[in-house]
Amino acid sequence: MKAVQYREIGARPEVVEIDTPEPKPGEVLLKVTAAGLCHSDVFIMQLPEDQYTYGLPLTLGHEGVGVVEAVGAGVDTSLVGQAMAVYGPWGCGICERCAAGQENYCLRAAELGITPPGLGSPGSMAEYMIVDSPRHLVPIGDLDPVQAAPLTDAGLTPYHAIKRSLPKLVGGTTAVVLGVGGLGHVGIQILKALSGAQVVALDVSDEKLALAREVGADHALMSDESAVEAVRDLTKGRGADLVVDFAGIQPTIDLGQKVLGVGGDFSLVGIGHGAPTAKVGFFQSPYEASFLVPYWGYRQELFEVIHLAQQGKLTVHTETFSVDKAPEAYGKLWDGTLRGRAVVQF
Ligand code: NAD
Ligand code: ZN
Ligand code: ZN
């Protein structure tokens, strides 16, 4: 089968021919229909050798959707033929965190060597993939696979980050979205669908700002120092009640801190290189502000995100590519020239 692999430190991903896997007891074999590309893929492919821990060769893809092709011993055979999205942050399934659906924070994943598909385990950017347990599948029904694949991360991650701040986002409040890429443009829609906040989107390119307006941002502004005063004006001096930083680089963290209001939440989702940091303390951060560093989302939250999409409340803007064109798609993600999410369609 064809697979898109990262094979050598510093090299670009390649399309290769590898053996089709077979499901072991307890596992599920999925015939992949769509796989999304995430900036985190680029992040790990830019890591120097001494910081790279994901194994080589690595079949990429941590956003995946497919149809169950076969199941291993002990797995319900009625799953065969069903269209499923893959919940990616795999955990052990039995610790206290996993019991609450919080497999992204599994207490034993590291100890047991459990890694997400595409981030250690073979991922979804291949004609077939192994899912370690049917517990990590969410039925998508009639949802278009190209829509559903990005929802497993570009939908789930902003959903998780925003959901916990919803009690603060009543009418009259403001949410600032930094970075209107794959995650950010879905984040804007989640805020509009679930909260009473006005949404101010900040990015560095006019195309991304146009996308922000298209998906419902109330204001879309250049991400530079001028945004500080603009947000102050738009909030009548109150500042933002939530800042979600989908870039996670020092300039966005610094800007986000400047626009955050008293009691606001700063949710750092983006993972920038060079360990960028936020300043927390008297005269450095607003009174009673909270700083959060969320990772992916909970298992039941993926059901919730899929339901929102099925109700027409979330639409992922996608650029689709064939598997052979996946390296080109990665090139566009690298260069920042994608609109929305790139999805490989099988
Ligand atoms: P993307 O490349 O699609 O989007 C990034 C956006 O940030 C682009 O629109 C870009 O123009 C914008 N940007 C760059 N510099 C900016 C600036 N100074 N101000 C404002 N915007 C700026 O990436 P993505 O796939 O949406 O991922 C976003 C980030 O989230 C990445 O760092 C990724 O690694 C991370 N991520 C984290 C999690 C998590 O669990 N915390 C999950 C998925 C992705
Ligand atoms: Zn991701
Ligand atoms: Zn666990």
Side-chain angles (χ1 to χ4, degrees):
M1 66 168 186
K2 282 182 181 174
V4 183
Q5 290 192 330
Y6 179 53
R7 298 177 63 82
E8 199 189 314
I9 298 293
R12 291 293 173 111
E14 285 174 55
V15 182
V16 294
E17 193 66 37
I18 58 170
D19 291 341
T20 302
E22 280 177 29
K24 294 199 217 35
E27 294 180 344
V28 176
L29 179 69
L30 217 56
K31 185 173 182 7
V32 177
T33 46
L37 284 73
C38 178
H39 211 108
S40 298
D41 300 332
V42 171
F43 177 85
I44 66 166
M45 289 188 276
Q46 286 177 329
L47 288 172
E49 192 153 16
D50 59 334
Q51 287 170 35
Y52 181 84
T53 56
Y54 306 91
L56 289 174
L58 172 71
T59 300
L60 293 162
H62 57 270
E63 292 186 342
V65 163
V67 175
V68 177
E69 174 82 6
V71 295
V75 178
D76 177 3
T77 52
S78 74
L79 293 175
V80 174
Q82 287 194 44
M84 297 286 194
V86 180
Y87 173 80
W90 296 349
C92 73
I94 38 187
C95 73
E96 282 182 56
R97 291 277 183 200
C98 286
Q102 303 171 2
E103 297 206 24
N104 51 329
Y105 301 133
C106 174
L107 298 169
R108 298 194 63 211
E111 171 196 339
L112 297 172
I114 300 170
T115 53
L119 295 166
S121 299
S124 57
M125 213 144 293
E127 289 173 281
Y128 293 88
M129 76 177 287
I130 294 289
V131 177
D132 67 339
S133 163
R135 190 177 78 246
H136 295 140
L137 296 173
V138 176
I140 62 164
D142 296 336
L143 201 60
D144 175 6
V146 171
Q147 281 291 308
L151 294 175
T152 62
D153 178 22
L156 176 58
T157 301
Y159 183 80
H160 177 71
I162 290 163
K163 189 181 171 186
R164 54 173 305 146
S165 297
L166 284 179
K168 292 186 179 177
L169 300 180
V170 295
T173 63
T174 301
V176 169
V177 170
L178 278 154
V180 190
L183 273 66
H185 90 285
V186 185
I188 291 168
Q189 296 176 60
I190 292 167
L191 284 161
K192 293 304 292 184
L194 301 183
S195 87
Q198 71 168 336
V199 177
V200 182
L202 308 177
D203 204 304
V204 286
S205 90
D206 287 326
E207 293 77 34
K208 311 280 180 153
L209 296 179
L211 175 60
R213 290 184 196 100
E214 201 179 311
V215 297
D218 299 290
H219 305 275
L221 310 167
M222 268 299 159
S223 176
D224 57 26
E225 278 302 305
S226 69
V228 178
E229 203 176 319
V231 172
R232 199 177 299 136
D233 289 349
L234 288 168
T235 62
K236 300 189 173 63
R238 173 186 170 109
D241 299 275
L242 170 67
V243 171
V244 201
D245 183 351
F246 292 112
I249 51 179
Q250 200 61 58
T252 52
I253 296 174
D254 292 345
L255 179 57
Q257 286 215 266
K258 287 182 192 156
V259 301
L260 190 66
V262 169
D265 287 347
F266 189 114
S267 202
L268 178 61
V269 175
I271 311 169
H273 285 282
T277 48
K279 295 190 204 77
V280 177
F282 278 95
F283 318 118
Q284 303 193 75
S285 50
Y287 293 119
E288 301 202 17
S290 301
F291 286 79
L292 306 149
V293 185
Y295 170 66
W296 224 325
Y298 301 157
R299 195 152 74 87
Q300 79 275 14
E301 289 175 336
L302 183 53
F303 286 81
E304 295 167 16
V305 169
I306 300 273
H307 285 311
L308 284 176
Q310 285 169 334
Q311 291 165 28
K313 291 182 176 162
L314 300 180
T315 305
V316 186
H317 288 243
T318 58
E319 284 189 33
T320 54
F321 298 83
S322 67
V323 62
D324 294 315
K325 289 274 161 67
E328 190 181 303
Y330 272 112
K332 291 192 82 175
L333 181 56
W334 231 283
D335 301 341
T337 55
L338 281 171
R339 194 171 190 276
R341 202 57 150 180
V343 178
V344 168
Q345 203 173 2
F346 289 88

